[in-house]
Amino acid sequence: MEERDLRSDGGVLNLPMVPLRDIVVFPHTMVPFVVGRKSSLLAVEHALATDKKLFLSTQLNAKVDSPSPEEVNAIGTTATVVQHLKLPNGNVKLLVEGIARCRLQEIEQHADGYFSVLIEEIEADTEVPAEGKDLMTRVGNLFERYIKHAPGLPYETMLSTVRIADPGRLADTIAAHLRIDVDEKQVLLEMIHPLERLQTVAQHLEGEIEKLRMDKKIHHRVKKQMEKAQKEYYLNEKIKAIQSELGRKDDRLNEVEELREKIEETKMPTEAKEKAQQELKRFEVMPPVSAEATVSRNYLEWLLAVPWGKRSRELKDIHRAETILDEDHYGLEKVKERIIEFLAVRQLVKKSKGSIICFVGPPGVGKTSLARSISRATGRKFVRLSLGGVRDEAEIRGHRRTYIGAFPGQIIQMMRRAGTRNPVFLLDEVDKMAADFRGDPSAALLEVLDPEQNHSFLDHYLDCEYDLSDVMFIATANVMHTIPPALKDRMEVLRLPGYTLREKIAIAERYLVPKQIKEHGLKKKVKIEFETDGIREIVERYTKEAGVRSLEREVASVCRKIARNFVAGDVEGDITLTPARVVELLGVPRYHLPTEKTREAEVGSATGLAWTEVGGEILEIDATMMRGRGKLTLTGQLGDVMQESAQAALSYIRTRAEALGIDPHFYRRFDIHVHLPEGSIPKDGPSAGIALATSIASLLSENPVRGDVAMTGEITLRGKVLPIGGVKEKVLAAFRFGVKTIILPRDNEKDLAEIPEDVSQQLEFKLVGGMDEVLEAALVDPVSSVQLGEEGSSRLGDAPPGGPVTH
């Protein structure tokens, strides 16, 4: 094609073309851009060699590297190259000034690859009608507001744009500075009528001003929220820079690296390690002094502190264990036997399920100290968790990390304290837990104490499973009825009954006395010898308990008084603790000797046996009668069950009145009052039934009850005697109080095997199946089976005809 110079014949021009990407050049505006395509560079060279004129048209698709004639817009802008600069990489940077809108008429591609085009200049109406001036003023005001808010636009330079008198030129100049899409700018370029173009520019200005206003509002809000964090971050960065200049190490970086190394070294399961690594990534980008960083650091430290893989070396020598248990505790043969069995199984089975044992017994019998001995015998660490008064489930499972001040539960805390994953874990006072609105901690213990579940115990704070299957759990309790059945079912219950007199003396001689002498600094200063009779004096006349806690206190009291006398210079030579010296040091005895306690046979007075949390107790029952109309009065703070037992006893006696030599109509003339002393202590249960019946039968028949007999058993309306619980504790209590004969239900014969041999040899047991046998053994005068005489007389006298019915 023959090249032609720029000419104005008919407004048709012949110019080289440069297709633009993402740029629209408007007339009367200066625009810089870089030319890099070969065809475009040739077009620029041709323009620079002639009159520096180019036709600039935007591509329809900016991603196309070599656009065809159909892929450029038909309307573009003629421009003059004002400046050009060749860059080191071969590209050329141009600064062009737009001249006029032109419509593409014909396009041809040269052999060397660039395009030349024939274009026609588009004439625009330059006259401004009256409504156009108002529109120009409005657009000028909008643009002035726009440049105030838009960043990067020089305010003073842009103000000169507002003073342009030509509406078309004003619209083009403002459109060139609007931050709108290329397609929208192309639409403005193709608008021929100036006022129409100006109206569209006004609409764009209003939209952009609203966007800028919203951006400013959001920016102000975000800036206000982040100002403190940015300030802290800035100051921390400055501190880092200062420390770096001073040659000091970055503590923050060292801390992160140290945590990362610990995570890799710790034998965590996969789930826990993933959580730790995820949390470390979050911690690494947090400001060091922020509250979130403290929470994250605490969580990581807890994950690393829990013993995931560390174990104690377990000692499985059953002979050594047996020796240790005998050294620490006297008696308790069944418990010791169970521990030896456990160690024997551990020798045969490498991996066995964790054991859950519950020691139940009165205070002072050695439940807690026995758990410590088990720890020593097995070579395991020992940790103790007191559950008395615990009401919150979170004490067991922990709090979720969303709460302020959250921590793991006591189970995980104790495992951290133990430092190994197979300690002896003592759950002390498991019967003293309670539930409230915060949850039931005993329900949370179900998972802990279930061998089928505790391998995947989930603490709310750690939020990952922890294996408790290697832990040897030992629980202690004074009573069983307050422990929920589901929890009770998960534990192997071993009962520790109270000690006998012989056992208490042996415990004092072997353990308590040497311990207190050493603790009071008397071992090397004074030679002290406790006689057996002296210890017996303390046990019988200064203590009244199932365990030995009070006994230890009294021994400590004796040692304190000896220490005082030694320091004062009142002690010369060796000291022997005889019964008389014990009384001299401890003062007036608190309790009578058992032989002194035994009473004479009395009418209406029987001795029952009761079970309490601290062991067995003697239950005195007194009955008396006065003239009245058959009312039965029960005092002594009796519970509902015991009151019902008294009613059942009275009903039985009425049905057997004639056989017992009692007036069948006694209830019409007399009221009966039954009282159990120590009225401030609540009493309940069915086991006093036969004692109540014996007391009332003795009263009405005026037949005394033997003073050396104690009894326990539940009564029915037909006089049958039913079995009861706590036989061993009740028998030991009777023995302590000097009782010689004990009446027991026949169905409790199996429980006699648990009675120590030295105790059972000194007692006589009467096993009964009905009330007739009880009265035969308990009353001084044996009850005759012969009915009353024909006269119908009785010791209470004849009853009047008629009368009220007893209640």
Side-chain angles (χ1 to χ4, degrees):
M1 178 179 177
E2 183 182 353
E3 295 182 3
R4 292 177 287 181
D5 295 332
L6 178 66
R7 60 186 195 176
S8 58
D9 296 343
V12 177
L13 304 174
N14 180 7
L15 296 175
M17 181 183 73
V18 175
L20 302 179
R21 289 195 275 200
D22 295 327
I23 300 174
V24 176
V25 177
F26 287 90
H28 316 294
T29 59
M30 302 280 283
V31 180
F33 60 90
V34 177
V35 178
R37 287 182 287 199
K38 182 179 178 181
S39 58
S40 299
L41 288 172
L42 292 172
V44 171
E45 288 178 6
H46 182 78
L48 293 175
T50 53
D51 52 6
K52 299 184 178 182
K53 298 292 190 297
L54 289 168
F55 176 68
L56 305 175
S57 179
T58 306
Q59 295 180 197
L60 295 174
N61 186 355
K63 296 180 180 180
V64 178
D65 287 333
S66 301
S68 62
E70 293 79 15
E71 291 177 322
V72 294
N73 285 296
I75 294 179
T77 305
T78 55
T80 302
V81 178
V82 179
Q83 290 181 358
H84 69 281
L85 176 65
K86 192 167 185 179
L87 301 177
N89 58 1
N91 295 341
V92 176
K93 186 174 183 180
L94 299 180
L95 177 65
V96 299
E97 180 181 7
I99 300 173
R101 282 175 175 75
C102 292
R103 181 178 284 108
L104 194 150
Q105 297 289 343
E106 186 180 338
I107 184 169
E108 183 176 352
Q109 187 173 8
H110 291 259
D112 48 5
Y114 80 92
F115 292 102
S116 64
V117 293
L118 289 177
I119 54 176
E120 178 185 6
E121 185 175 340
I122 300 173
E123 299 292 339
D125 188 3
T126 57
E127 293 184 6
V128 182
E131 65 272 14
K133 292 181 179 179
D134 293 338
L135 181 59
M136 289 178 66
T137 303
R138 174 168 165 254
V139 170
N141 293 334
L142 287 172
F143 187 62
E144 190 173 351
R145 286 172 56 194
Y146 176 73
I147 59 178
K148 283 182 180 179
H149 292 89
L153 292 179
Y155 181 74
E156 297 297 334
T157 305
M158 290 295 102
L159 277 181
S160 61
T161 304
V162 181
R163 302 188 183 95
I164 298 174
D166 182 4
R169 185 173 180 180
L170 176 64
D172 290 340
T173 304
I174 294 175
H177 292 94
L178 285 177
R179 295 176 179 175
I180 58 178
D181 294 339
V182 174
D183 293 340
E184 293 175 332
K185 285 189 176 184
Q186 182 65 33
V187 171
L188 287 171
L189 182 66
E190 293 177 0
M191 288 184 178
I192 307 303
H193 197 281
L195 294 183
E196 181 185 359
R197 191 159 68 246
L198 203 59
Q199 183 66 43
T200 304
V201 167
Q203 293 175 2
H204 283 299
L205 281 172
E206 289 174 346
E208 290 299 309
I209 290 170
E210 183 63 22
K211 288 180 184 178
L212 291 171
R213 189 183 67 80
M214 289 299 298
D215 287 345
K216 187 175 182 181
K217 183 177 180 181
I218 294 170
H219 175 72
H220 179 70
R221 188 186 305 163
V222 172
K223 183 180 178 181
K224 189 175 181 180
Q225 292 174 350
M226 297 184 63
E227 188 174 12
K228 183 179 179 181
Q230 288 175 340
K231 180 181 177 182
E232 291 175 351
Y233 177 77
Y234 172 74
L235 293 174
N236 284 319
E237 290 300 316
K238 273 212 151 190
I239 291 171
K240 288 181 182 179
I242 294 170
Q243 288 178 339
S244 178
E245 288 295 324
L246 294 174
R248 297 176 184 172
K249 294 182 178 180
D250 187 351
D251 293 338
R252 169 74 168 182
L253 184 61
N254 290 341
E255 182 182 18
V256 172
E257 289 302 319
E258 185 179 347
L259 289 172
R260 184 175 285 109
E261 290 176 5
K262 287 182 178 179
I263 291 171
E264 293 301 324
E265 293 172 0
T266 305
K267 297 178 181 179
M268 294 183 182
T270 305
E271 179 190 8
K273 181 169 285 189
E274 289 176 355
K275 283 188 176 293
Q277 291 171 343
Q278 183 180 0
E279 192 66 28
L280 184 62
K281 290 179 181 178
R282 293 180 62 248
F283 173 68
E284 197 170 359
V285 299
M286 290 179 184
V289 294
S290 66
E292 291 82 359
T294 303
V295 172
S296 186
R297 185 187 297 108
N298 287 341
Y299 177 67
L300 287 169
E301 288 176 354
W302 271 106
L303 276 177
L304 293 170
V306 173
W308 296 99
K310 187 177 179 182
R311 298 169 179 266
S312 297
R313 182 175 174 271
E314 188 175 357
L315 304 177
K316 301 175 183 178
D317 186 349
I318 60 175
H319 300 294
R320 177 182 178 277
E322 195 169 0
T323 302
I324 291 175
L325 292 174
D326 288 337
E327 285 177 359
D328 292 348
H329 290 83
Y330 181 82
L332 305 177
E333 300 303 329
K334 282 193 173 182
V335 178
K336 293 178 181 178
E337 184 181 354
R338 176 64 184 85
I339 304 306
I340 300 303
E341 290 171 357
F342 169 75
L343 292 177
V345 172
R346 291 289 291 174
Q347 283 191 8
L348 300 174
V349 182
K350 186 176 181 181
K351 175 69 175 178
S352 64
K353 293 182 179 178
S355 301
I356 295 93
I357 300 173
C358 182
F359 296 147
V360 179
V365 296
K367 299 184 294 295
T368 302
S369 60
L370 185 59
R372 292 184 183 275
S373 295
I374 293 171
S375 169
R376 193 161 75 92
T378 57
R380 298 183 178 210
K381 296 283 188 177
F382 176 80
V383 287
R384 172 182 170 271
L385 172 60
S386 179
L387 296 173
V390 172
R391 296 175 175 269
D392 190 356
E393 180 204 0
E395 290 287 335
I396 307 298
R397 292 186 181 276
H399 295 86
R400 301 188 187 280
R401 284 195 293 148
T402 52
Y403 294 103
I404 296 174
F407 270 97
Q410 289 291 336
I411 299 295
I412 295 297
Q413 290 188 39
M414 291 298 115
M415 293 301 296
R416 175 183 181 178
R417 182 176 299 178
T420 62
R421 58 178 295 175
N422 63 333
V424 172
F425 199 128
L426 177 64
L427 299 169
D428 215 1
E429 310 293 353
V430 74
D431 58 326
K432 307 290 191 303
M433 288 186 295
D436 64 5
F437 65 93
R438 291 169 292 186
D440 186 355
S442 63
L445 276 180
L446 295 179
E447 181 184 3
V448 176
L449 299 181
D450 191 344
E452 301 297 332
Q453 300 180 38
N454 62 10
H455 65 277
S456 57
F457 172 69
L458 183 65
D459 184 271
H460 289 162
Y461 181 82
L462 295 185
D463 197 27
C464 57
E465 294 179 351
Y466 186 79
D467 187 0
L468 295 173
S469 61
D470 291 332
V471 179
M472 184 177 185
F473 286 103
I474 298 176
T476 69
N478 296 128
V479 295
M480 290 295 292
H481 64 267
T482 58
I483 302 176
L487 185 58
K488 193 186 308 180
D489 183 61
R490 284 164 167 78
M491 301 185 293
E492 179 183 349
V493 177
L494 298 178
R495 296 189 179 274
L496 281 68
Y499 295 112
T500 63
L501 174 62
R502 183 176 63 83
E503 289 174 333
K504 288 182 179 180
I505 293 173
I507 291 170
E509 289 177 340
R510 294 189 186 186
Y511 308 105
L512 304 184
V513 170
K515 175 184 175 184
Q516 293 303 323
I517 290 175
K518 182 180 179 181
E519 288 184 355
H520 287 82
L522 299 173
K523 186 174 182 180
K524 297 180 180 180
K525 305 292 185 182
V526 184
K527 185 177 180 181
I528 302 174
E529 181 183 353
F530 278 75
E531 287 188 352
T532 301
D533 290 340
I535 296 174
R536 179 182 286 106
E537 184 74 9
I538 297 175
V539 173
E540 292 182 336
R541 307 192 69 178
Y542 292 90
T543 66
K544 183 179 152 184
E545 60 175 347
V548 292
R549 198 165 282 158
S550 294
L551 175 58
E552 185 173 11
R553 280 195 291 266
E554 296 303 326
V555 172
S557 179
V558 170
C559 292
R560 284 197 304 271
K561 294 181 185 300
I562 293 174
R564 178 185 178 280
N565 294 337
F566 176 78
V567 173
D570 298 336
V571 175
E572 293 182 3
D574 299 341
I575 298 175
T576 302
L577 271 298
T578 61
R581 190 64 186 274
V582 168
V583 174
E584 179 186 339
L585 293 173
L586 294 181
V588 180
R590 298 187 184 91
Y591 307 103
H592 296 290
L593 288 172
T595 54
E596 299 170 356
K597 183 74 176 180
T598 305
R599 56 177 174 76
E600 298 296 329
E602 296 181 51
V603 172
S605 182
T607 303
L609 297 174
W611 180 93
T612 68
E613 294 184 10
V614 297
E617 287 289 342
I618 289 292
L619 205 61
E620 298 289 351
I621 300 174
D622 294 327
T624 188
M625 64 182 178
M626 66 289 294
R627 290 196 175 273
R629 295 189 176 273
K631 181 180 178 183
L632 176 63
T633 303
L634 302 169
T635 57
Q637 202 172 160
L638 309 186
D640 292 340
V641 177
M642 187 171 283
Q643 292 185 38
E644 291 169 0
S645 294
Q647 294 281 0
L650 181 60
S651 297
Y652 164 75
I653 290 170
R654 286 180 59 185
T655 62
R656 299 284 295 164
E658 292 184 1
L660 298 173
I662 300 171
D663 178 10
H665 304 291
F666 69 87
Y667 59 86
R668 296 183 179 179
R669 299 173 55 196
F670 296 97
D671 290 344
I672 297 176
H673 185 172
V674 178
H675 177 69
L676 278 72
E678 299 181 353
S680 63
I681 301 174
K683 310 169 189 70
D684 204 358
S687 63
I690 64 172
L692 289 167
T694 301
S695 175
I696 296 173
S698 169
L699 174 71
L700 295 175
S701 65
E702 297 182 3
N703 190 350
V705 181
R706 290 169 54 187
D708 61 346
V709 173
M711 62 197 76
T712 180
E714 182 178 355
I715 188 175
T716 69
L717 287 174
R718 299 186 180 277
K720 292 182 179 180
V721 180
L722 303 181
I724 42 78
V727 172
K728 184 176 180 180
E729 289 83 357
K730 292 176 180 179
V731 169
L732 293 178
F735 178 74
R736 286 198 300 269
F737 281 87
V739 173
K740 301 300 182 184
T741 303
I742 300 177
I743 300 175
L744 294 173
R746 185 167 286 113
D747 290 340
N748 284 115
E749 183 177 4
K750 62 183 186 306
D751 298 314
L752 295 180
E754 298 181 1
I755 309 299
E757 187 176 349
D758 62 316
V759 173
S760 61
Q761 288 177 353
Q762 302 180 52
L763 295 174
E764 180 185 1
F765 295 99
K766 296 283 188 179
L767 301 176
V768 298
M771 237 357 260
D772 290 347
E773 297 176 72
V774 174
L775 297 176
E776 186 74 25
L779 299 180
V780 172
D781 299 328
V783 178
S784 174
S785 59
V786 180
Q787 300 295 322
L788 291 176
E790 295 178 359
E791 298 81 9
S793 62
S794 75
R795 299 175 186 177
L796 299 181
D798 294 332
V805 180
T806 59
H807 103 128

